[in-house]
């Protein structure tokens, strides 16, 4: 498995925001969002460490942290993700997967099911056409759909998606402004104007605490 980063920090977003986690960041992604903040991990020249699922699980277990966040890039592109999930669960570690919404999560919804924090890419991302909406029916209350908004047009699309798929009735729905582009106050205003009672706004906590471009946090 192609690991480009492994470190301990707090989760910056999702239902586990603020909780300590061991982050395992994998190389490579199948889409390219306009606002991607880890594009370096998707470049061919990005260096990585080849690790087996067992080696990753041993590292996570050695930290004493009980939550592992698998991220990228797109972690579900790694062929050995099922073995890694099983190894982490066997080690008593809770597993969260941050996925971009374009990969089928069905094969991972079994007895070793992880928590999913799944994106829905809005128009400003340039990648909405890749979203696999069939995934929505597999989500539970433990999962999150995260929508990153760059402008009011994105917010209007959020409303449509929530209503069409009854998302707020299936899972947690979180809205985040693109860092440095959409004013969080404008997002709050839009939410109030449109009575968006069943969603929450969430800032990327790690970008508030540390330099937004800092790695390993």
């Amino acid at each position: 498995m192609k690991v480009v980063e492994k470190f301990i920090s707090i989760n910056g977003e999702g239902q586990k925001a603020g909780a300590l986690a061991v982050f395992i960041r994998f190389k490579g992604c199948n889409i390219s969002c306009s606002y991607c903040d880890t594009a370096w991990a998707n470049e061919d020249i990005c260096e990585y460490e080849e690790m087996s699922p067992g080696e990753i699980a041993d590292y996570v277990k050695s930290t004493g942290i009980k939550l592992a966040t698998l991220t990228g890039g797109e972690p579900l592109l790694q062929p050995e993700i099922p073995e890694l999930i099983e190894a982490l669960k066997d080690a008593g570690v809770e597993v969260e997967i941050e996925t971009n919404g374009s990969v089928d999560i069905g094969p991972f919804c079994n007895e070793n099911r992880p928590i999913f924090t799944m994106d829905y890419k809005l128009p400003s991302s340039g990648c909405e056409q890749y979203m696999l909406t069939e995934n929505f029916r597999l989500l539970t209350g433990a999962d999150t759909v995260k929508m990153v908004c760059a402008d009011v047009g994105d917010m209007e699309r959020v409303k449509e998606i929530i209503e069409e798929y009854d998302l707020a009735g299936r899972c947690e729905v979180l809205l985040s402004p693109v860092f440095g582009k959409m004013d969080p106050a404008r997002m709050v205003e839009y939410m109030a104007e449109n009575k968006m009672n069943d969603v929450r706004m969430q800032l990327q906590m790690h970008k508030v605490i540390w330099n937004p471009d800092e790695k390993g946090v």
Side-chain angles (χ1 to χ4, degrees):
M1 305 184 81
K2 297 179 179 180
V3 178
V4 297
E5 278 191 310
K6 57 184 192 296
F7 58 92
I8 298 171
S9 186
I10 58 165
N11 259 321
E13 49 198 348
Q15 290 194 49
K16 296 291 184 178
L20 278 174
V22 182
F23 284 79
I24 307 295
R25 186 182 305 284
F26 295 101
K27 179 179 178 176
C29 193
N30 57 325
I31 59 177
S32 181
C33 297
S34 62
Y35 51 74
C36 181
D37 54 9
T38 55
W40 59 269
N42 307 328
E43 296 175 358
D44 290 341
I45 62 172
C46 178
E47 295 183 358
Y48 63 90
E49 179 182 3
E50 190 72 47
M51 298 181 71
S52 69
E55 288 171 335
I56 295 172
D58 286 345
Y59 163 73
V60 173
K61 188 175 180 180
S62 75
T63 68
I65 305 300
K66 296 298 185 182
L67 171 65
T69 296
L70 310 183
T71 189
E74 172 49 58
L76 296 184
L77 297 179
Q78 298 290 318
E80 293 178 288
I81 281 290
E83 290 83 357
L84 176 57
I85 294 171
E86 183 175 4
L88 289 169
K89 293 267 189 170
D90 288 346
V93 176
E94 187 175 20
V95 181
E96 176 196 22
I97 292 183
E98 295 184 342
T99 180
N100 65 26
S102 71
V103 181
D104 182 10
I105 66 172
F108 308 96
C109 293
N110 49 37
E111 65 274 10
N112 285 320
R113 190 187 194 282
I115 298 167
F116 291 103
T117 298
M118 187 175 74
D119 283 3
Y120 183 88
K121 304 296 184 183
L122 297 164
S124 70
S125 72
C127 292
E128 187 176 16
Q129 68 269 30
Y130 302 115
M131 294 298 94
L132 197 65
T133 55
E134 291 86 352
N135 280 333
F136 289 155
R137 63 183 176 81
L138 299 172
L139 299 177
T140 72
D143 302 315
T144 300
V145 169
K146 176 168 64 71
M147 303 193 200
V148 180
C149 303
D151 50 38
V152 171
D154 280 351
M155 293 291 296
E156 291 172 350
R157 184 64 177 139
V158 165
K159 281 185 60 186
E160 294 173 353
I161 292 296
I162 290 172
E163 291 170 5
E164 182 176 354
Y165 296 98
D166 188 28
L167 272 190
R170 292 178 178 273
C171 61
E172 187 81 17
V173 179
L174 299 179
L175 310 183
S176 293
V178 174
F179 190 85
K181 189 165 185 180
M182 184 172 189
D183 183 0
R186 180 66 187 102
M187 178 173 278
V188 174
E189 290 171 1
Y190 186 94
M191 291 170 66
E193 291 164 1
N194 290 273
K195 308 298 185 290
M196 299 177 73
N197 292 301
D198 298 322
V199 304
R200 290 191 292 132
M201 185 185 82
Q202 186 175 82
L203 301 178
Q204 292 177 295
M205 193 179 297
H206 53 293
K207 291 187 177 180
V208 176
I209 299 173
W210 295 284
N211 184 306
D213 297 321
E214 190 168 345
K215 295 180 182 179
V217 295

